[in-house]
Amino acid sequence: MKAFVPTFIALTLLALAGCQPAQPTEIPPTDTPDTPAPITETPTVAAPLRASEREEMVMRQITGRDVSDPETLKAMRAVPRHAFVPESLQDQAYADHPLPIGYGQTISQPYIVALMTEALDLQPGERVLEIGTGSGYQAAVLAEIVDEVYTIEIVGALAEQAQAVFADLGYDRITVKHADGYFGWEEYAPFDAIIVTAAPDHVPQPLLNQLADGGRLVIPVGPPGGYQSLWLYTRAGDDYQAENLGGVIFVPLTRTVRDE
Ligand code: SAH
């Protein structure tokens, strides 16, 4: 995993400097003027086609950079990303950038999804918690690899929408909850891995507590609206080892449960 860090940072800096149209960073901060207007259109689930677009996405954006974990690549080839985005954006579903999904939120860039999935070092049979369901795409990628995925979303409409897409596509091992994910999901803890796809300004203690021994937590941490560092925490008994994976930009982890 060490090998990808310099490239990742280099690509990130390039993107931040505006040198590349294809951005390997995460979503723009929500308060930037170019933030797209909220989209309220529900994704229409199409048949899981577009395999050649997915193959090209994996080759150019994922193996072409530095992600090589076979399970991650297989999952990225399998999940029909276009089914998780609003219909009017489905033609851009496999492009090298995040896309708006409504409610001021975004589906992450494919590369970031792959990078974070690889960093979790998942094994079949494991139990994973995601904070920030959003479109549901990252949860579906996880469900291709492990047996049980639990995912929490703070915006009610997004939680419902993602649940509908999971049902349509037959992802029946993903369980969704509408709540503030800061507190994790005690009922199903401990988790072999936890992934957070919105950025808090500190690591929530409940998430560290809910990691199994040997468990991994991947989380962007930094000021809201600014750049964050992507951290990998690994638990060994009562000790936690932290590794900085590089600079990213995510939407902030919010603390107000929205019913819309
Ligand atoms: N993983 C998503 C992308 C996430 S965007 C995907 O694959 O599409 C970040 C998401 O985190 C948003 O949907 C946002 O509403 C949600 N979020 C923000 N704060 C949260 C919190 N405290 N608990 C749960 N979800 C939260």
Side-chain angles (χ1 to χ4, degrees):
M1 177 153 37
K2 287 249 151 46
F4 72 58
V5 176
T7 321
F8 176 50
I9 292 170
L11 287 168
T12 303
L13 292 176
L14 267 180
L16 293 177
C19 300
Q20 289 208 334
Q23 295 200 0
T25 50
E26 192 45 16
I27 42 212
T30 42
D31 56 356
T32 52
D34 60 348
T35 300
I39 290 178
T40 47
E41 187 191 321
T42 307
T44 307
V45 177
L49 302 172
R50 302 197 182 221
S52 60
E53 283 174 70
R54 267 195 300 291
E55 185 56 41
E56 194 174 328
M57 169 190 85
V58 168
M59 273 169 44
R60 283 177 189 264
Q61 304 171 33
I62 303 188
T63 57
R65 294 200 176 113
D66 36 33
V67 174
S68 59
D69 169 50
E71 289 297 320
T72 300
L73 300 179
K74 203 166 120 193
M76 298 297 293
R77 285 192 176 98
V79 179
R81 183 173 161 93
H82 61 281
F84 292 87
V85 307
E87 202 174 357
S88 58
L89 296 176
Q90 285 188 349
D91 282 347
Q92 293 180 57
Y94 297 97
D96 195 13
H97 52 73
L99 289 169
I101 54 171
Y103 309 94
Q105 307 303 326
T106 48
I107 177 174
S108 304
Q109 177 193 19
Y111 172 63
I112 293 289
V113 172
L115 181 75
M116 292 174 82
T117 304
E118 180 176 66
L120 289 172
D121 193 20
L122 302 171
Q123 305 301 321
E126 288 191 328
R127 176 182 288 197
V128 181
L129 173 66
E130 179 193 31
I131 310 303
T133 314
S135 69
Y137 175 68
Q138 171 77 72
V141 169
L142 299 170
E144 291 285 338
I145 303 174
V146 300
D147 282 2
E148 291 172 67
V149 177
Y150 296 86
T151 180
I152 305 178
E153 171 54 54
I154 205 162
V155 178
L158 289 175
E160 257 175 51
Q161 207 165 280
Q163 209 152 15
V165 179
F166 297 148
D168 278 343
L169 293 176
Y171 284 106
D172 52 9
R173 292 178 303 181
I174 304 176
T175 310
V176 184
K177 176 159 92 163
H178 173 215
D180 176 4
Y182 184 93
F183 303 104
W185 201 336
E186 191 62 52
E187 190 185 349
Y188 294 107
F191 298 96
D192 301 298
I194 302 178
I195 177 172
V196 183
T197 62
D201 60 6
H202 63 276
V203 179
Q205 188 62 42
L207 301 184
L208 290 170
N209 295 346
Q210 290 175 24
L211 271 186
D213 195 9
R216 291 83 58 202
L217 165 67
V218 171
I219 182 169
V221 183
Y227 305 118
Q228 302 103 29
S229 293
L230 189 63
W231 289 93
L232 167 65
Y233 284 82
T234 307
R235 181 172 190 170
D238 289 335
D239 291 334
Y240 294 85
Q241 218 181 40
E243 186 185 344
N244 188 339
L245 302 181
V248 287
I249 306 177
F250 277 81
V251 291
L253 186 99
T254 57
R255 302 301 312 281
T256 308
V257 178
R258 288 162 67 183
D259 286 330
E260 61 174 347

